[in-house]
Amino acid sequence: MATCEDRPNLVERVVLKLGEPKNQARLLQVAWKISLLMMVLGFIIILKTVSTNLM
């Protein structure tokens, strides 16, 4: 199967699209929210573990 070298394939198009500053900012926001959620869930797990051992 012959490929046309002047048109980027799907992976290259996705990487180029993610490289745009607008999309990088959106990815950073999503990553920040996910890390914040993971931190909150970790604190909840720690507090539940500690509170059951204290009683």
Side-chain angles (χ1 to χ4, degrees):
M1 185 166 126
T3 60
C4 184
E5 292 298 325
D6 60 343
R7 292 181 53 198
N9 61 14
L10 180 62
V11 174
E12 290 173 346
R13 284 187 285 179
V14 168
V15 169
L16 289 174
K17 195 72 171 168
L18 289 176
E20 295 175 359
K22 176 179 62 172
N23 292 332
Q24 285 181 347
R26 187 173 295 131
L27 283 173
L28 185 62
Q29 285 178 344
V30 170
W32 187 83
K33 288 177 184 176
I34 289 172
S35 66
L36 184 63
L37 177 67
M38 289 174 61
M39 184 180 70
V40 168
L41 290 175
F43 279 128
I44 291 171
I45 290 170
I46 289 170
L47 290 176
K48 283 187 175 248
T49 304
V50 170
S51 67
T52 56
N53 289 338
L54 291 176
M55 293 182 182

